[in-house]
Amino acid sequence: PSNSPSFNRMTGELKTSKETIERSNRDLLQSNQELEERRRYIEALLQNITTGVISLDAEGNVTTLNRAASRILALDEGPDPTGKSYREVLSRPDLRRLAEAVEKSRSARDLTPAREMTFNIEGVSLTVAVSITVLADGRGGPPGLLIVLEDLTPLMRAQRVAAWREVARRLAHEIKNPLTPIQLSAEHLLRVYADGRGDFGKALKESTSYIIQ
């Protein structure tokens, strides 16, 4: 009968189970939405930072290559590198050093935190800090690599400009030092000449000797 204790208990359990499933579905939906928001945030962040970021899976295929990495390595005009082997993406002769560093990191796990590399890309010399680290997949599978590129060229140029400014400052100082006694000697000659009372010949000899020294 529909009003028996066992029937009522079964109905209550079914209702509870339904509520539990609905709550779990809501929680799962919320978690998925949060994950999607986080994914979009990270993607937007990667595409807008000035640091180049390249990620490779365990097979060496590119999973991420942001705008900054494309700009630094002049890959903007090429096809979408996602899913391609790093050997193909970095196949240009001017990127050989980077490809070799990646290969060494993959085979020997030579994960130097950061190293400076100079590339001559499209006739322009670039100094880039390259960092290569292990990138776990989060599921216990074989790790890939994370390659971070920091374009140091503007900093290096600024340092060179600062160095040349210091050279110019010191050079100006060194030039100015002997100019002062030359100026004083010339002024002394003019005064003696204008006076007409002193021994101009003697003053001329002394002053020119001082200037020559």
Side-chain angles (χ1 to χ4, degrees):
S2 59
N3 59 353
S4 66
S6 60
F7 180 82
N8 291 337
R9 186 170 59 252
M10 182 180 68
T11 303
E13 290 173 353
L14 286 172
K15 184 181 179 182
T16 302
S17 296
K18 183 182 177 183
E19 290 174 351
T20 302
I21 291 171
E22 288 176 347
R23 193 184 313 114
S24 296
N25 286 337
R26 285 196 302 270
D27 292 344
L28 182 60
L29 180 62
Q30 184 178 351
S31 295
N32 286 338
Q33 288 174 341
E34 290 174 355
L35 284 172
E36 179 61 20
E37 288 173 4
R38 190 176 302 174
R39 184 194 66 78
R40 286 199 299 265
Y41 170 76
I42 292 172
E43 189 174 294
L45 182 66
L46 281 175
Q47 292 304 327
N48 288 284
I49 59 175
T50 57
T51 299
V53 177
I54 305 172
S55 61
L56 308 179
D57 62 19
E59 285 72 41
N61 297 320
V62 174
T63 54
T64 302
L65 194 149
N66 70 347
R67 284 196 200 106
S70 293
R71 175 186 57 78
I72 293 169
L73 302 178
L75 298 171
D76 308 76
E77 302 301 323
D80 183 5
T82 306
K84 293 184 172 63
S85 169
Y86 77 92
R87 294 184 184 89
E88 181 181 350
V89 176
L90 304 178
S91 61
R92 291 199 330 251
D94 53 1
L95 299 179
R96 185 182 302 127
R97 284 192 64 203
L98 180 57
E100 289 172 352
V102 173
E103 178 61 31
K104 190 174 181 183
S105 295
R106 292 187 72 239
S107 59
R109 292 296 172 194
D110 177 23
L111 301 170
T112 306
R115 70 195 85 179
E116 280 188 18
M117 291 187 184
T118 301
F119 303 106
N120 196 311
I121 297 177
E122 297 179 345
V124 178
S125 179
L126 297 179
T127 303
V128 179
V130 179
S131 177
I132 304 176
T133 57
V134 170
L135 180 64
D137 70 349
R139 296 186 295 273
L145 288 182
L146 181 67
I147 305 156
V148 178
L149 309 170
E150 190 71 41
D151 186 0
L152 301 179
T153 309
L155 176 62
M156 300 295 286
R157 285 174 181 160
Q159 287 176 344
R160 282 197 294 270
V161 168
W164 276 112
R165 279 179 179 158
E166 179 62 17
V167 168
R169 187 191 68 78
R170 293 187 181 186
L171 188 59
H173 181 71
E174 293 301 320
I175 291 172
K176 188 178 178 181
N177 279 345
L179 288 179
T180 301
I182 290 173
Q183 181 183 2
L184 292 174
S185 298
E187 289 172 353
H188 175 63
L189 279 174
L190 282 173
R191 279 197 302 272
V192 173
Y193 179 76
D195 242 2
R197 295 193 297 270
D199 187 348
F200 182 72
K202 181 182 177 184
L204 179 63
K205 185 177 180 181
E206 289 176 350
S207 295
T208 51
S209 175
Y210 192 31
I211 289 171
I212 290 168
Q213 287 177 14

